[in-house]
Short mmCIF file of all heavy atoms in Angstrom, two decimals:
data_model
loop_
_atom_site.label_atom_id
_atom_site.label_comp_id
_atom_site.label_asym_id
_atom_site.label_seq_id
_atom_site.Cartn_x
_atom_site.Cartn_y
_atom_site.Cartn_z
N PRO A 1 -10.38 -16.55 -7.87
CA PRO A 1 -10.36 -15.78 -6.61
C PRO A 1 -9.12 -16.27 -5.86
O PRO A 1 -8.67 -17.42 -5.95
CB PRO A 1 -11.60 -16.32 -5.86
CG PRO A 1 -12.49 -16.82 -6.98
CD PRO A 1 -11.59 -17.36 -8.01
N VAL A 2 -8.55 -15.40 -5.01
CA VAL A 2 -7.42 -15.63 -4.12
C VAL A 2 -7.64 -15.23 -2.75
O VAL A 2 -8.05 -14.13 -2.47
CB VAL A 2 -6.11 -14.93 -4.77
CG1 VAL A 2 -4.92 -15.15 -3.85
CG2 VAL A 2 -5.79 -15.42 -6.20
N LEU A 3 -7.37 -16.26 -1.82
CA LEU A 3 -7.46 -15.94 -0.41
C LEU A 3 -6.08 -15.87 0.16
O LEU A 3 -5.35 -16.81 0.11
CB LEU A 3 -8.33 -17.08 0.22
CG LEU A 3 -8.46 -17.00 1.78
CD1 LEU A 3 -9.23 -15.76 2.14
CD2 LEU A 3 -9.04 -18.32 2.31
N PHE A 4 -5.75 -14.69 0.72
CA PHE A 4 -4.49 -14.48 1.37
C PHE A 4 -4.66 -14.95 2.83
O PHE A 4 -5.45 -14.33 3.54
CB PHE A 4 -4.06 -13.06 1.33
CG PHE A 4 -3.52 -12.58 -0.07
CD1 PHE A 4 -4.50 -12.29 -1.06
CD2 PHE A 4 -2.23 -12.52 -0.33
CE1 PHE A 4 -4.04 -11.83 -2.29
CE2 PHE A 4 -1.77 -12.11 -1.59
CZ PHE A 4 -2.70 -11.75 -2.55
N GLU A 5 -3.77 -15.86 3.29
CA GLU A 5 -3.80 -16.26 4.68
C GLU A 5 -3.51 -15.05 5.58
O GLU A 5 -2.77 -14.10 5.07
CB GLU A 5 -2.77 -17.35 4.87
CG GLU A 5 -2.78 -17.98 6.28
CD GLU A 5 -1.69 -18.99 6.52
OE1 GLU A 5 -0.62 -18.92 5.93
OE2 GLU A 5 -1.88 -19.91 7.32
N ALA A 6 -3.92 -14.92 6.81
CA ALA A 6 -3.88 -13.78 7.57
C ALA A 6 -2.48 -13.12 7.70
O ALA A 6 -2.34 -11.95 7.57
CB ALA A 6 -4.43 -14.03 9.00
N PRO A 7 -1.41 -13.93 7.91
CA PRO A 7 -0.12 -13.27 7.92
C PRO A 7 0.27 -12.51 6.68
O PRO A 7 0.94 -11.56 6.68
CB PRO A 7 0.88 -14.45 8.23
CG PRO A 7 0.10 -15.43 8.90
CD PRO A 7 -1.29 -15.43 8.21
N LEU A 8 -0.13 -13.08 5.48
CA LEU A 8 0.12 -12.40 4.24
C LEU A 8 -0.77 -11.30 3.97
O LEU A 8 -0.47 -10.31 3.30
CB LEU A 8 -0.01 -13.45 3.09
CG LEU A 8 0.91 -14.71 3.25
CD1 LEU A 8 0.81 -15.52 1.99
CD2 LEU A 8 2.33 -14.38 3.52
N ALA A 9 -1.98 -11.40 4.48
CA ALA A 9 -3.01 -10.29 4.41
C ALA A 9 -2.40 -9.01 5.06
O ALA A 9 -2.68 -7.92 4.64
CB ALA A 9 -4.33 -10.70 5.02
N ALA A 10 -1.73 -9.26 6.21
CA ALA A 10 -1.09 -8.07 6.87
C ALA A 10 -0.17 -7.43 5.98
O ALA A 10 0.01 -6.17 6.05
CB ALA A 10 -0.42 -8.61 8.13
N GLY A 11 0.52 -8.14 5.02
CA GLY A 11 1.28 -7.54 4.07
C GLY A 11 0.60 -6.70 3.06
O GLY A 11 1.10 -5.66 2.57
N LEU A 12 -0.62 -6.99 2.67
CA LEU A 12 -1.42 -6.21 1.88
C LEU A 12 -1.81 -4.85 2.50
O LEU A 12 -1.71 -3.78 1.84
CB LEU A 12 -2.74 -6.90 1.45
CG LEU A 12 -2.68 -8.16 0.55
CD1 LEU A 12 -3.97 -8.77 0.35
CD2 LEU A 12 -1.85 -7.88 -0.73
N LEU A 13 -2.10 -5.04 3.74
CA LEU A 13 -2.33 -3.68 4.58
C LEU A 13 -1.07 -2.89 4.61
O LEU A 13 -1.15 -1.70 4.52
CB LEU A 13 -2.76 -4.12 5.98
CG LEU A 13 -3.06 -2.92 6.97
CD1 LEU A 13 -4.09 -1.94 6.36
CD2 LEU A 13 -3.62 -3.46 8.25
N GLY A 14 0.06 -3.53 4.83
CA GLY A 14 1.31 -2.77 4.68
C GLY A 14 1.58 -2.10 3.41
O GLY A 14 2.03 -0.96 3.40
N ALA A 15 1.16 -2.70 2.37
CA ALA A 15 1.36 -2.03 0.98
C ALA A 15 0.49 -0.83 0.84
O ALA A 15 0.87 0.15 0.35
CB ALA A 15 1.07 -3.05 -0.10
N PHE A 16 -0.68 -0.94 1.45
CA PHE A 16 -1.65 0.22 1.43
C PHE A 16 -0.99 1.34 2.24
O PHE A 16 -1.03 2.58 1.81
CB PHE A 16 -2.91 -0.22 1.99
CG PHE A 16 -3.89 1.03 2.32
CD1 PHE A 16 -4.39 1.76 1.42
CD2 PHE A 16 -4.14 1.25 3.67
CE1 PHE A 16 -5.23 2.86 1.70
CE2 PHE A 16 -4.89 2.35 4.04
CZ PHE A 16 -5.46 3.17 3.02
N VAL A 17 -0.43 1.03 3.44
CA VAL A 17 0.18 2.09 4.33
C VAL A 17 1.31 2.77 3.54
O VAL A 17 1.41 3.93 3.51
CB VAL A 17 0.64 1.45 5.61
CG1 VAL A 17 1.46 2.48 6.36
CG2 VAL A 17 -0.48 1.01 6.38
N GLN A 18 2.14 1.95 2.87
CA GLN A 18 3.28 2.51 2.11
C GLN A 18 2.76 3.46 1.00
O GLN A 18 3.35 4.51 0.84
CB GLN A 18 3.99 1.31 1.44
CG GLN A 18 5.08 1.74 0.44
CD GLN A 18 6.28 2.56 1.02
OE1 GLN A 18 6.43 2.50 2.27
NE2 GLN A 18 6.96 3.34 0.26
N ALA A 19 1.68 3.16 0.40
CA ALA A 19 1.16 3.97 -0.67
C ALA A 19 0.58 5.24 -0.25
O ALA A 19 0.57 6.26 -1.02
CB ALA A 19 0.09 3.14 -1.50
N ILE A 20 0.14 5.29 0.97
CA ILE A 20 -0.48 6.62 1.48
C ILE A 20 0.42 7.21 2.58
O ILE A 20 -0.03 8.06 3.35
CB ILE A 20 -1.93 6.43 2.00
CG1 ILE A 20 -1.99 5.58 3.21
CG2 ILE A 20 -2.84 5.97 0.89
CD1 ILE A 20 -3.30 5.68 3.94
N SER A 21 1.76 6.90 2.53
CA SER A 21 2.67 7.56 3.44
C SER A 21 3.27 8.76 2.78
O SER A 21 3.37 8.79 1.52
CB SER A 21 3.82 6.50 3.81
OG SER A 21 3.30 5.50 4.68
N GLY A 22 3.56 9.73 3.57
CA GLY A 22 4.03 11.01 3.13
C GLY A 22 5.15 10.96 2.09
O GLY A 22 5.22 11.75 1.14
N GLY A 23 6.20 10.19 2.37
CA GLY A 23 7.39 10.12 1.52
C GLY A 23 6.95 9.78 0.13
O GLY A 23 7.41 10.42 -0.93
N ALA A 24 6.14 8.74 -0.03
CA ALA A 24 5.68 8.29 -1.42
C ALA A 24 4.76 9.36 -2.09
O ALA A 24 4.84 9.59 -3.27
CB ALA A 24 4.94 6.97 -1.31
N LEU A 25 3.96 10.01 -1.22
CA LEU A 25 3.04 11.01 -1.80
C LEU A 25 3.73 12.26 -2.29
O LEU A 25 3.43 12.75 -3.39
CB LEU A 25 1.99 11.35 -0.70
CG LEU A 25 0.98 10.19 -0.25
CD1 LEU A 25 0.12 10.52 0.85
CD2 LEU A 25 0.20 9.65 -1.54
N TYR A 26 4.60 12.79 -1.47
CA TYR A 26 5.12 14.12 -1.92
C TYR A 26 6.16 13.88 -3.11
O TYR A 26 6.38 14.78 -3.94
CB TYR A 26 5.75 14.87 -0.77
CG TYR A 26 7.18 14.60 -0.41
CD1 TYR A 26 8.28 15.11 -1.19
CD2 TYR A 26 7.48 13.92 0.75
CE1 TYR A 26 9.58 14.89 -0.75
CE2 TYR A 26 8.82 13.71 1.12
CZ TYR A 26 9.85 14.20 0.31
OH TYR A 26 11.13 13.94 0.79
N ARG A 27 6.71 12.69 -3.17
CA ARG A 27 7.58 12.35 -4.28
C ARG A 27 6.81 11.88 -5.54
O ARG A 27 7.47 11.58 -6.52
CB ARG A 27 8.57 11.20 -3.88
CG ARG A 27 9.58 11.68 -2.78
CD ARG A 27 10.61 10.54 -2.52
NE ARG A 27 11.52 10.86 -1.56
CZ ARG A 27 11.40 10.46 -0.23
NH1 ARG A 27 10.37 9.77 0.06
NH2 ARG A 27 12.33 10.82 0.60
N LYS A 28 5.46 11.76 -5.33
CA LYS A 28 4.62 11.34 -6.41
C LYS A 28 5.01 9.92 -6.93
O LYS A 28 5.00 9.71 -8.20
CB LYS A 28 4.55 12.33 -7.58
CG LYS A 28 4.03 13.72 -7.11
CD LYS A 28 3.82 14.62 -8.22
CE LYS A 28 3.26 16.00 -7.84
NZ LYS A 28 2.06 15.91 -6.98
N SER A 29 5.43 9.07 -5.99
CA SER A 29 5.79 7.71 -6.32
C SER A 29 4.81 6.68 -5.74
O SER A 29 5.19 5.63 -5.26
CB SER A 29 7.18 7.44 -5.85
OG SER A 29 7.31 7.58 -4.42
N SER A 30 3.46 7.05 -5.82
CA SER A 30 2.52 6.15 -5.23
C SER A 30 1.34 5.98 -6.22
O SER A 30 0.94 6.96 -6.88
CB SER A 30 1.97 6.70 -3.89
OG SER A 30 0.73 6.08 -3.49
N PHE A 31 0.78 4.80 -6.23
CA PHE A 31 -0.42 4.52 -7.05
C PHE A 31 -1.64 5.07 -6.42
O PHE A 31 -2.75 4.99 -6.94
CB PHE A 31 -0.58 3.06 -7.32
CG PHE A 31 -0.85 2.13 -6.07
CD1 PHE A 31 -2.12 1.94 -5.65
CD2 PHE A 31 0.21 1.63 -5.33
CE1 PHE A 31 -2.33 1.13 -4.58
CE2 PHE A 31 0.02 0.86 -4.19
CZ PHE A 31 -1.30 0.60 -3.85
N LEU A 32 -1.63 5.66 -5.17
CA LEU A 32 -2.69 6.21 -4.46
C LEU A 32 -2.54 7.72 -4.24
O LEU A 32 -2.94 8.27 -3.22
CB LEU A 32 -2.96 5.55 -3.15
CG LEU A 32 -3.45 4.10 -3.23
CD1 LEU A 32 -3.63 3.47 -1.86
CD2 LEU A 32 -4.78 4.01 -3.94
N LEU A 33 -2.00 8.43 -5.27
CA LEU A 33 -1.84 9.90 -5.12
C LEU A 33 -3.21 10.54 -5.01
O LEU A 33 -4.25 10.12 -5.65
CB LEU A 33 -1.13 10.46 -6.33
CG LEU A 33 0.34 10.12 -6.50
CD1 LEU A 33 0.83 10.72 -7.82
CD2 LEU A 33 1.16 10.66 -5.29
N ASP A 34 -3.37 11.58 -4.21
CA ASP A 34 -4.55 12.36 -4.07
C ASP A 34 -5.77 11.50 -3.71
O ASP A 34 -6.81 11.74 -4.20
CB ASP A 34 -4.89 13.13 -5.32
CG ASP A 34 -3.76 14.01 -5.74
OD1 ASP A 34 -3.19 14.74 -4.87
OD2 ASP A 34 -3.42 14.10 -6.96
#
């Protein structure tokens, strides 16, 4: 198991935001398409 300290956990949230942002989605460059 891995515990990300809160400042680094915010980075995980940021990665999620990047993956469901329009630029990544319409270019089909996201692991969270559709």
Side-chain angles (χ1 to χ4, degrees):
V2 174
L3 178 64
F4 287 80
E5 190 183 28
L8 305 185
L12 294 179
L13 178 54
F16 165 70
V17 171
Q18 170 67 21
I20 63 165
S21 290
L25 294 173
Y26 88 76
R27 294 186 181 96
K28 300 190 181 301
S29 59
S30 169
F31 64 91
L32 290 179
L33 291 176
D34 302 318

